[in-house]
């Protein structure tokens, strides 16, 4: 059987952690033949460490055949040792009265430390996915703090936005969500993201032609996908967790095992594609093969799309400026 791989997860005792760890351990992320060792990180706080102990007890009680080891950590320097995959979920949420600059600064501190730890101790091929918000900027900070690791190993999660967009389109057309292909989401994981179905197909037919309603696109679809996170908080009283964990599994599985030519969305460091400044952590359409992602290039960008892309890029540049002095 295969050698176990090491999967580090931060914020492991949080909501998303609780929806994520059991699925990783059951083989849904890396395959039903791939044993995993979970290296779980939580803050040193006693309550968090106790909660983590409880999650580990439950993981043990699942008796997952693929779970080759579980470790609890309070320091990224030990949590990330030799790790092959790192899911950075834990982040500082916005507290009452906290300004945007405070939020950026608190997270810059976390992701600088974690980037440095990855740089020092992780596998040189580590695949990093940042889920904790602001996800793109946190991923950018971690990447900049890990100069000895390839920049392409750092990614941010746009997959939840991608999946939300697919679900809205399927409901509009009345088709199965699995029949939709070639969808993508450009930019930041925030309400400014641009979910783009101009190239999408449903059973081989153009989604855009099938819907044929620009007003629905601009005034219903994009705001619905963009504000979906807030709608879930309003309904559930808590932020999306199971769907976020599911998107993290999708992102890592597709990156590691490939997409068979299908498009997915990943937040990745730009190399200037589509006019996005280099190093910007930007949502792009990609395909994955052999453990590498590749941007779908050469797509025409019309005026409406360019306007949307400019808006989400401007927001990301603003976040980047806001943390520049902290790097
Ligand atoms: P949560 O508050 O339930 O759990 C977060 C956990 O992270 C807590 O247990 C906390 O102790 C831990 N933590 C905080 N700082 C840490 C650090 N420096 N090292 C290790 N652990 C740390 O939050 P939840 O619901 O699990 O969400 C986690 C993050 O994911 C949030 O930032 C949220 O905004 C983000 N998110 C991102 C989505 C995306 O699509 N990119 C979608 C949904 C949520």
């Amino acid at each position: 059987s295969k050698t176990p791989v090491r999967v580090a997860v931060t914020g492991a005792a949080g909501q998303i952690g609780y929806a994520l760890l059991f699925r990783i351990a059951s083989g849904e992320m890396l395959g039903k033949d791939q044993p995993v060792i979970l290296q779980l990180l939580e803050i040193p706080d006693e309550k968090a460490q106790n909660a983590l102990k409880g999650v580990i007890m439950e993981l043990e009680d699942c008796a997952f055949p693929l779970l080759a080891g579980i470790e609890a950590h309070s320091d990224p320097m030990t949590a990330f040792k030799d790790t092959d995959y790192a899911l950075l979920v834990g982040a500082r949420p916005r507290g009452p009265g906290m300004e945007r600059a405070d939020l950026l600064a608190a997270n810059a501190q976390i992701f600088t430390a974690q980037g440095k730890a990855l740089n020092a101790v992780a596998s040189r091929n580590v695949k990093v996915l940042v889920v904790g918000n602001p996800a793109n900027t946190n991923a950018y900070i971690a990447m900049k703090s890990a100069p000895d690791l390839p920049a392409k190993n750092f990614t941010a999660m746009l997959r939840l936005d991608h999946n939300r967009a697919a679900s809205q389109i399927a409901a509009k057309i009345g088709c199965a969500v699995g029949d939709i292909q070639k969808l993508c989401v450009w930019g930041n994981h925030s309400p400014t993201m641009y979910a783009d179905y101009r190239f999408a197909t449903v059973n081989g037919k153009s989604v855009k032609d099938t819907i044929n309603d620009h007003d629905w696109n601009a005034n219903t679809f994009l705001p619905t996908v963009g504000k979906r996170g807030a709608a879930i908080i309003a309904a559930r009283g808590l932020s999306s967790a199971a769907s976020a964990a599911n998107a993290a599994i999708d992102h890592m599985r597709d990156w590691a095992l490939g997409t068979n030519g299908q498009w997915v969305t990943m937040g990745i460091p730009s190399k200037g594609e589509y006019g996005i400044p280099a190093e910007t952590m930007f949502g792009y359409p990609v395909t994955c093969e052999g453990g590498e992602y590749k941007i779908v290039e050469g797509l025409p960008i019309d005026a409406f799309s360019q306007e949307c892309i400019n808006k989400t890029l401007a927001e990301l540049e603003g976040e980047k400026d806001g943390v520049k002095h902290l790097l």
Side-chain angles (χ1 to χ4, degrees):
S1 67
K2 287 188 174 175
T3 317
V5 294
R6 296 180 173 275
V7 180
V9 180
T10 75
Q15 284 205 88
I16 294 176
Y18 199 70
L20 176 64
L21 298 174
F22 300 86
R23 296 186 60 189
I24 298 174
S26 77
E28 287 182 63
M29 187 169 88
L30 296 172
K32 299 282 182 187
D33 60 346
Q34 178 59 65
V36 295
I37 297 168
L38 289 174
Q39 306 187 159
L40 307 179
L41 179 67
E42 260 295 342
I43 51 174
D45 170 74
E46 195 186 327
K47 218 173 136 210
Q49 288 295 323
N50 269 333
L52 180 56
K53 280 198 192 100
V55 174
I56 290 177
M57 285 157 72
E58 287 203 71
L59 280 163
E60 290 167 353
D61 294 350
C62 291
F64 289 118
L66 289 171
L67 189 52
I70 319 176
E71 304 168 4
H73 295 273
S74 58
D75 179 351
M77 285 294 283
T78 57
F80 296 157
K81 181 94 183 84
D82 297 328
T83 196
D84 302 292
Y85 300 88
L87 293 91
L88 309 187
V89 178
R92 179 75 190 274
R94 190 188 289 249
M98 207 170 169
E99 295 295 327
R100 190 168 156 279
D102 303 332
L103 182 77
L104 280 171
N107 281 295
Q109 206 178 359
I110 293 172
F111 286 87
T112 306
Q114 294 189 356
K116 284 182 177 160
L118 287 164
N119 194 54
V121 301
S123 158
R124 299 301 86 180
N125 298 318
V126 64
K127 287 180 162 58
V128 182
L129 167 63
V130 177
V131 176
N133 279 319
N136 296 52
T137 295
N138 290 342
Y140 170 77
I141 293 167
M143 173 185 83
K144 293 302 279 180
S145 306
D148 302 329
L149 293 172
K152 68 175 169 61
N153 296 18
F154 289 81
T155 67
M157 192 164 94
L158 269 290
R159 186 59 177 266
L160 182 53
D161 309 280
H162 179 110
N163 289 349
R164 285 167 172 167
S167 153
Q168 293 298 321
I169 290 167
K172 171 77 173 169
I173 295 180
C175 69
V177 90
D179 293 339
I180 297 168
Q181 296 195 16
K182 295 188 166 182
L183 182 64
C184 69
V185 182
W186 305 90
N188 198 6
H189 168 67
S190 92
T192 66
M193 56 90 234
Y194 172 44
D196 183 359
Y197 61 72
R198 289 175 305 137
F199 313 105
T201 59
V202 48
N203 294 319
K205 274 177 54 195
S206 159
V207 162
K208 184 171 179 251
D209 293 349
T210 305
I211 294 175
N212 193 25
D213 188 346
H214 180 72
D215 182 65
W216 182 79
N217 180 31
N219 300 318
T220 302
F221 172 69
L222 288 174
T224 301
V225 178
K227 294 182 197 150
R228 188 70 164 179
I232 286 165
I233 293 175
R236 210 171 83 89
L238 288 166
S239 69
S240 50
S243 54
N246 179 70
I249 297 265
D250 284 351
H251 177 118
M252 279 303 207
R253 184 201 56 226
D254 286 347
W255 190 3
L257 305 180
T259 62
N260 290 316
Q262 292 205 29
W263 299 14
V264 293
T265 299
M266 289 171 70
I268 57 178
S270 170
K271 291 205 206 94
E273 295 90 344
Y274 293 100
I276 305 305
E279 294 196 319
T280 309
M281 200 58 73
F282 205 77
Y284 278 111
V286 301
T287 56
C288 303
E289 198 186 335
E292 303 285 342
Y293 57 78
K294 200 166 141 243
I295 294 182
V296 178
E297 293 201 69
L299 300 171
I301 305 295
D302 61 20
F304 175 77
S305 302
Q306 192 62 58
E307 202 180 296
C308 293
I309 287 172
N310 291 349
K311 189 168 140 207
T312 192
L313 174 61
E315 182 184 50
L316 269 175
E317 300 268 78
E319 290 181 15
K320 208 199 245 181
D321 277 350
V323 298
K324 209 163 47 189
H325 63 290
L326 302 166
L327 291 179

